[in-house]
Amino acid sequence: MMARLVVAVDGGNSKTDVALVNEDGALLSWVRGPGSALGPGRTAAVVTRLATVAAYDAGLGPAQLAVAHAACCLAGADLPGQVEALHTALTAGRVWGSVEVRNDAWALLRTGATQDAPAVAVVCGAGLKCVARADDDRRFEFPGLGWQSGDLSGAGDLLAREAVRAAARAEDGRGPATALRQAICARYAVASVREIAERLVAGDLTERQLDVLVPVVLSHAHDGDPVAFTLVERLAVEVATLARTARRQFAPTSFPWSLVLGGGLFADPDGRMLAAVRAAAPGLEEEFRIGVPDAPPVAGAALLGLDQVAAVVSEKTVCRAFLDAKPRMTAAE
């Protein structure tokens, strides 16, 4: 008989990864589709469709999925009510044998920290999310809802919006000069920042499409532009603040803590956001072992699922399987 199947799901705003892993830790298939942070019903539809495609790629069918355990780590699973609604939607079709739902930040944490080890994870992508685990029984999670729960309004979104704002103020004289002004205009092939503002108001350009400015901000901050540096430093300080505050929720442990950093900003191949965090909070490395996992978060979702079915596998082997593979791109329709 085939070992029990784990359906690993890492669902975010911009993409959704679904992988099938057997109880021995072997990666059977891996597909990537569009973002699934769409509300419970549509999230379930995207995840189910991608899992069906992944099963087909692995030569499996509905019967195998029906006894599988689905470890679903999803953006938008921030509050207990949201987790419950997503769980209800994902179990309604009885596609899987069992389902667990948690925020996608937990997949990042599991990717970069061994089971039960004290760790904090901070996702710094379009948004900002922090979770922590002292051991298997003691966990903490910031709501991560945005300004409503005391957060900076996003991460990549914040950098992009604030860069446009700073460039606009530099253009009309309300703010200091910054090289971001010329760089942003060049990126959109416009003569002025005002044209970008007008396109945003008209709907010809969306805030999500401003994400392409994040590398521009990181680059100019690294090169010493004072305005860009201030924007990145503010975010870096917030990352350190989240990590330290999350750790303080627990009594001291006898094991060293890990800080697992991930998301689009930390995927920067030049490591500029990681360098910014270290520069903004130089004492952080005395409190945490800081790392950015090489393996994608879906590997963490797979490990969480394997934990749930009590599989005894090598974490390094599972992560290596994802590093040696590439997802097949597919639609969710």
Side-chain angles (χ1 to χ4, degrees):
M1 292 181 61
M2 180 180 175
R4 188 175 183 190
L5 192 67
V6 168
V7 181
V9 181
D10 173 47
N13 292 292
S14 59
K15 64 177 176 61
T16 301
D17 281 353
V18 175
L20 302 187
V21 179
N22 71 17
E23 205 170 27
D24 298 323
L27 176 60
L28 306 180
S29 63
W30 177 15
V31 298
R32 175 172 293 169
S36 54
L38 305 167
R42 294 175 65 192
T43 295
V46 170
V47 169
T48 301
R49 171 58 182 160
L50 292 177
T52 302
V53 173
Y56 177 84
D57 286 354
L60 305 175
Q64 286 83 12
L65 286 181
V67 294
H69 174 69
C72 301
C73 300
L74 304 168
D78 297 300
L79 301 175
Q82 293 173 323
V83 172
E84 182 179 353
L86 285 163
H87 187 274
T88 299
L90 284 160
T91 56
R94 299 184 179 181
V95 177
W96 347 88
S98 55
V99 178
E100 61 178 306
V101 176
R102 62 184 80 196
N103 187 269
D104 56 341
W106 292 106
L108 171 67
L109 187 148
R110 189 65 179 88
T111 305
T114 57
Q115 186 179 11
D116 298 340
V120 176
V122 180
V123 178
C124 203
L128 196 60
K129 181 73 176 183
C130 176
V131 300
R133 177 193 65 199
D135 51 46
D136 197 43
D137 297 321
R138 295 183 296 160
R139 299 181 180 185
F140 175 78
E141 181 174 334
F142 284 103
L145 304 177
W147 64 267
Q148 302 95 321
S149 55
D151 310 308
L152 292 181
S153 297
D157 289 351
L158 172 72
L159 281 185
R161 287 196 308 269
E162 288 299 299
V164 172
R165 177 177 178 274
R169 292 176 70 86
E171 184 171 275
D172 64 22
R174 286 177 292 169
T178 172
L180 289 174
R181 175 186 172 189
Q182 292 80 11
I184 291 172
C185 288
R187 182 64 183 81
Y188 288 103
V190 296
S192 69
V193 182
R194 178 168 177 164
E195 289 185 50
I196 296 174
E198 291 173 350
R199 289 175 60 186
L200 285 165
V201 171
D204 298 329
L205 181 67
T206 67
E207 288 194 29
R208 180 53 57 86
Q209 290 173 306
L210 297 179
D211 288 352
V212 295
L213 297 179
V214 172
V216 175
V217 181
L218 290 174
S219 177
H220 281 78
H222 184 266
D223 292 341
D225 180 83
V227 172
F229 179 84
T230 298
L231 295 179
V232 174
E233 182 183 46
R234 180 189 180 200
L235 182 55
V237 168
E238 180 69 1
V239 169
T241 299
L242 284 167
R244 285 169 165 158
T245 305
R247 179 176 175 171
R248 287 200 300 268
Q249 306 304 310
F250 308 100
T253 66
S254 58
F255 297 98
W257 281 73
S258 296
L259 173 55
V260 187
L261 301 173
L265 272 76
F266 287 110
D268 172 31
D270 295 322
R272 291 169 293 191
M273 192 65 211
L274 178 59
V277 170
R278 286 177 165 148
L284 199 63
E285 291 187 280
E286 299 174 9
E287 305 169 46
F288 297 94
R289 292 180 301 193
I290 303 175
V292 178
D294 293 325
V298 69
L303 288 168
L304 287 169
L306 291 165
D307 294 342
Q308 193 67 27
V309 301
V312 180
V313 298
S314 165
E315 296 171 342
K316 290 184 178 179
T317 298
V318 173
C319 289
R320 175 55 59 187
F322 281 93
L323 287 171
D324 291 340
K326 290 184 178 180
R328 182 169 79 82
M329 307 302 293
T330 184
E333 301 298 335

